[in-house]
Amino acid sequence: MSVNKISLPTKKVAASRKSPKNFVLYGQPKVGKTTALAQLDNCLIIDLEDGTDMVDALKVKANNLKELSEIGRAILDAGKPYKYIAVDTVTQLEVWCETEAKRLYQNTPMGKNFDKENKGLSVLSLPNGGGYLYLREAFKIWINRLNTLADHVILVGHLKEAKIDKNGKEVSVKDLDLTGKLKNITAANADAIGYVFRENDTTMISFDSMGDIQAGSRCDHLKGQTFPLHWDKIFID
């Protein structure tokens, strides 16, 4: 039986894209994230928190994972008509994923009687934090599903104040509001993480991880940058 030979590169292969495919946008409530997304051409906002009620936009609401699944199926059935999909917010998605996490646990031999023995309890009530494994798996499943819906997927998140160790000293930083390792999963999946804030009545975005902001980018044109939030500075191809 013949085996197809792999052609190994003999010189550098050019980058295939410049703009972020998976993009995380976070900041304080009412700072202008949703308003800015409404101004991005051909961007469907999937609203999980009723945050688009006061904004004219391409938008659709989901109230639970079942509705989110139906929206995703409709997008795929329509041939993925949107260049951008924004999920507003990924923080709410985590809350919903507790239900999916319980289902995943109940599909295991040790979890099949969980609901009978722990009526109404979250899977996160498992001892020693065991339920968080299933929350992470559920969250990854949904992030992977969302990533299939458009060329660019934007995850919108809330801000939280977190504590980190810096040179042996505990300091406060602005960070994405997700639980534990879910934040790491989301950050690893993202090509860019932008922190949105207001400065002199202007909506700004920072990809600079210096100071107390958790942000950054793999995209050369965004690394270390802070500027007024204009989409043509972020998506350049």
Side-chain angles (χ1 to χ4, degrees):
M1 182 176 66
S2 62
V3 178
N4 293 331
K5 291 184 178 180
I6 297 175
S7 297
L8 297 174
T10 57
K11 59 182 180 180
K12 290 183 179 180
V13 179
S16 59
R17 57 185 171 86
K18 297 179 181 178
S19 299
K21 173 176 173 55
N22 303 306
F23 179 32
V24 174
L25 191 74
Y26 79 102
Q28 292 181 347
K30 300 177 180 64
V31 76
K33 302 183 297 294
T34 304
T35 300
L37 286 166
Q39 298 167 354
L40 178 58
D41 289 339
N42 200 20
C43 176
L44 176 69
I45 303 174
I46 304 179
D47 182 358
L48 310 188
E49 291 191 351
D50 296 328
T52 61
D53 287 354
M54 306 294 289
V55 177
D56 296 334
L58 275 173
K59 58 185 179 179
V60 61
K61 286 188 179 183
N63 296 299
N64 48 55
L65 289 181
K66 181 177 182 295
E67 292 183 4
L68 183 57
S69 179
E70 290 169 353
I71 291 167
R73 190 177 303 113
I75 291 170
L76 293 175
D77 289 345
K80 300 200 292 188
Y82 307 104
K83 185 173 182 180
Y84 308 94
I85 295 288
V87 181
D88 191 0
T89 65
V90 69
T91 308
Q92 182 62 39
L93 178 63
E94 176 190 339
V95 174
W96 291 353
C97 279
E98 283 191 37
T99 302
E100 182 87 350
K102 180 187 280 191
R103 185 188 65 79
L104 292 175
Y105 180 61
Q106 289 176 303
N107 286 340
T108 67
M110 57 188 173
K112 62 182 180 180
N113 295 319
F114 178 79
D115 241 4
K116 294 178 182 178
E117 299 168 356
N118 304 275
K119 194 67 175 178
L121 285 182
S122 166
V123 72
L124 301 185
S125 65
L126 287 173
N128 303 315
Y132 286 93
L133 168 64
Y134 298 94
L135 179 61
R136 290 195 294 273
E137 288 305 309
F139 189 78
K140 285 191 288 186
I141 287 169
W142 277 97
I143 292 296
N144 290 337
R145 287 175 181 171
L146 293 167
N147 284 342
T148 67
L149 300 182
D151 291 341
H152 304 275
V153 175
I154 304 169
L155 301 179
V156 185
H158 291 313
L159 170 73
K160 71 175 178 181
E161 295 288 335
K163 300 291 185 180
I164 65 169
D165 181 82
K166 192 171 184 178
N167 298 323
K169 183 180 179 181
E170 187 177 71
V171 297
S172 178
V173 298
K174 296 176 176 65
D175 207 349
L176 179 64
D177 187 10
L178 287 173
T179 301
K181 293 183 180 179
L182 296 189
K183 184 194 71 177
N184 297 335
I185 292 168
T186 305
N189 178 69
D191 296 318
I193 302 172
Y195 169 65
V196 180
F197 62 100
R198 296 286 291 178
E199 182 176 274
N200 299 324
D201 294 326
T202 299
T203 302
M204 306 288 291
I205 187 165
S206 179
F207 299 93
D208 188 351
S209 62
M210 299 295 289
D212 63 347
I213 298 171
Q214 296 294 295
S217 178
R218 297 187 184 106
C219 308
D220 288 340
H221 67 290
L222 299 177
K223 289 178 181 177
Q225 298 297 307
T226 300
F227 49 79
L229 204 171
H230 296 300
W231 295 112
D232 57 1
K233 290 186 176 182
I234 297 172
F235 297 107
I236 61 175
D237 60 356

